[in-house]
Amino acid sequence: MSAAYDKSKFKKGFWPFVALQFQGAFSDNVYRYTLVYLLVRASGVEPTMENTGTISGIAGMVFAIPFFLFVGIFGAISDRLPKKSVTFYSKSLEAVIMTLGGIAFYTVSPMLLWATLFLMAAQSAIFTPCKYGILPEAVPEEKLSWANGIIQGTTMVAILAGAGLSGPLCEWLYGAGGDGPGVQWVSPFLVALAFVGIMLSRSMFNPPAANPELSIPLNPYSGLGKYARVFWNDRWIGIALLSYAFFWGMAMLINMNLFPYGYVTLGLTETSISMMMAAVTIGIASGAFAAGHISRGKVEPGLVPIGALGMAVCALFLGFSNESFLSASLLLFGLGFFGGLFDVPVAAMLQQRSPAHMRGGILVFTNMCSWLGIFTAALLFLGATSIGIDAQTIFLFAAAAIVAFGGYIMIAQPVFFLRTVLWLISNTLYRIRVVGRQN
């Protein structure tokens, strides 16, 4: 940075920033899920695998595109300008987009609904580099892990709240016989939240621009080759990147599949489908917390095969289960829990093994690859539903894919399997307590 920034009073601007990013994640999920529910109802026919799958698949693809299409441009903007300014402008843009969303909801125009979803995702993609880049610039180093934990935890709660509220909200606005106020009233609610975000952005911390002389690249992918070479040359970090992209691709596949699984297989309402999505999110958060606790202060690759096995078993049972909302929710919680065990050590490996002088760029590249994984999963899901594959078969495919990928990483890097065995032994047959690890 061009000038020293006083980080000693960071908390004064930190908590408005926490509230602001919570609002953004919450609004994104309310809008996205309400859009899917609206289009399913507006189709005028009984929900089928084809129509629910097509709608949820397109929503996943449209939402993912801006996050990898403009990655270099938005990252450069967040470094060239003060991140507080970028945040303020992105929140102002959000208010405009949510107003346009109200028109889309009122007219039930599919093209306008998809366009506003794309714009909303683009606005979130503008904010994302600020969200993760501002903390090292504004928070003291000794508080950085604490601040990251708060941001990650509140983001997960916001996603949970948005996914959980969208179903009941949609049902209430529709009314029992279609005589409710109308789904378009979601828009004023989200516009009001966007203005809350604008006000919060005025109170967040304000470090100077990281690199005011940085040029905005015309080619958003220029310079990414050097980061790709890091992953190619270091097998550990390369496998971590593949694992991270695979996990988020599978997470999106499961998320999209819950719409046809809930509507068609189990015959559920929007509220119950939202509760199943909440079960997955609670599971991921619980698994992430458990992984942090049982890792005992170090990166533990041995949890990755355990997480993969648990996810595969839960997905397998979901493929054969069509009995009840409760059993499905418990299996989805388990799927999310083991997903948290899988994801945490992978993310930690990426951070730990990234060269310090390239860490920011490597994390941007990782984020781009994860969204490419999400886009690919959405594309595969659309293809599967178009040829008549049902929701339970997709769960079985997910189970097989997880087993195959877990086997691949243990063959490519056998130490994963060895660390799993050692972790199981040291936590069952033998209890090992390490004293003075820091020395």
Side-chain angles (χ1 to χ4, degrees):
M1 285 182 282
S2 58
Y5 176 73
D6 182 12
K7 302 179 181 181
S8 61
K9 297 180 180 179
F10 75 97
K11 288 188 178 180
K12 183 178 179 181
F14 175 71
W15 293 113
F17 180 72
V18 170
L20 177 152
Q21 63 86 32
F22 179 96
Q23 172 270 316
F26 174 80
S27 295
D28 283 356
N29 283 275
V30 169
Y31 185 85
R32 182 159 64 101
Y33 291 125
T34 302
L35 179 149
V36 173
Y37 294 136
L38 171 64
L39 286 175
V40 170
R41 288 208 178 208
S43 65
V45 297
E46 283 294 312
T48 64
M49 182 68 202
E50 184 175 359
N51 66 10
T52 57
T54 299
I55 292 167
S56 61
I58 293 174
M61 288 178 61
V62 171
F63 193 79
I65 290 172
F67 286 93
F68 65 82
L69 192 62
F70 307 118
V71 58
I73 296 173
F74 293 160
I77 290 172
S78 72
D79 282 339
R80 178 167 179 167
L81 301 176
K83 291 180 173 58
K84 180 177 180 178
S85 299
V86 178
T87 301
F88 173 79
Y89 294 134
S90 73
K91 285 293 161 185
S92 301
L93 183 60
E94 180 183 339
V96 176
I97 294 168
M98 289 299 101
T99 302
L100 184 62
I103 300 172
F105 279 139
Y106 182 76
T107 60
V108 198
S109 165
M111 290 304 297
L112 189 55
L113 284 165
W114 295 131
T116 53
L117 180 63
F118 177 85
L119 291 173
M120 187 200 71
Q123 178 271 324
S124 297
I126 293 171
F127 174 64
T128 296
C130 298
K131 176 178 176 178
Y132 293 106
I134 199 171
L135 294 182
E137 297 175 4
V139 177
E141 186 174 351
E142 64 274 13
K143 293 289 186 180
L144 198 53
S145 294
W146 171 83
N148 271 296
I150 296 292
I151 293 295
Q152 296 290 355
T154 52
T155 299
M156 193 64 69
V157 173
I159 293 171
L160 168 63
L165 180 65
S166 57
L169 185 63
C170 188
E171 281 196 50
W172 175 71
L173 289 172
Y174 256 111
D179 56 353
V183 178
Q184 68 270 14
W185 287 101
V186 170
S187 177
F189 172 59
L190 295 178
V191 170
L193 287 180
F195 277 103
V196 171
I198 291 171
M199 290 187 289
L200 289 168
S201 72
R202 305 294 294 269
S203 302
M204 62 181 276
F205 32 40
N206 187 25
N211 189 356
E213 305 302 321
L214 182 67
S215 59
I216 308 299
L218 295 177
N219 176 6
Y221 305 108
S222 62
L224 292 181
K226 60 184 177 183
Y227 304 119
R229 284 190 291 273
V230 172
F231 291 104
W232 181 262
N233 294 329
D234 186 330
R235 178 174 287 188
W236 267 103
I237 197 172
I239 289 177
L241 173 67
L242 289 175
S243 301
Y244 195 74
F246 175 82
F247 170 78
W248 287 108
M250 281 292 107
M252 177 56 81
L253 181 68
I254 299 300
N255 178 278
M256 292 181 296
N257 198 40
L258 286 181
F259 289 102
Y261 183 69
Y263 273 123
V264 182
T265 306
L266 299 180
L268 301 176
T269 64
E270 287 88 354
T271 296
S272 297
I273 294 172
S274 286
M275 294 304 103
M276 289 199 302
M277 291 180 179
V280 178
T281 307
I282 294 171
I284 292 175
S286 302
F289 176 80
H293 178 71
I294 62 183
S295 294
R296 299 179 182 178
K298 65 180 187 301
V299 178
E300 182 48 79
L303 296 179
V304 174
I306 296 173
L309 178 62
M311 285 193 293
V313 170
C314 291
L316 182 67
F317 278 106
L318 281 165
F320 291 110
S321 172
N322 60 357
E323 296 179 358
S324 73
F325 163 75
L326 179 60
S327 63
S329 297
L330 290 174
L331 286 169
L332 288 165
F333 173 84
L335 185 64
F337 180 86
F338 285 107
L341 289 185
F342 181 98
D343 182 55
V344 166
V346 166
M349 278 189 281
L350 284 166
Q351 294 174 349
Q352 183 192 55
R353 295 187 67 91
S354 300
H357 67 288
M358 302 174 70
R359 187 162 293 144
I362 282 177
L363 294 179
V364 168
F365 185 83
T366 300
N367 189 55
M368 182 192 74
C369 290
S370 70
W371 282 103
L372 277 171
I374 289 169
F375 179 83
T376 302
L379 196 61
L380 291 173
F381 180 77
L382 268 176
T385 56
S386 68
I387 60 175
I389 296 177
D390 62 28
Q392 289 178 275
T393 303
I394 290 175
F395 278 127
L396 294 176
F397 166 78
I402 293 167
V403 169
F405 187 81
Y408 161 74
I409 61 175
M410 286 191 288
I411 292 171
Q413 196 69 288
V415 73
F416 276 94
F417 176 72
L418 295 175
R419 288 291 291 265
T420 300
V421 173
L422 290 173
W423 185 87
L424 290 171
I425 291 174
S426 64
N427 285 275
T428 52
L429 299 177
Y430 301 98
R431 299 289 294 177
I432 299 174
R433 183 166 63 93
V434 179
V435 178
R437 176 184 283 130
Q438 67 275 17
N439 297 323

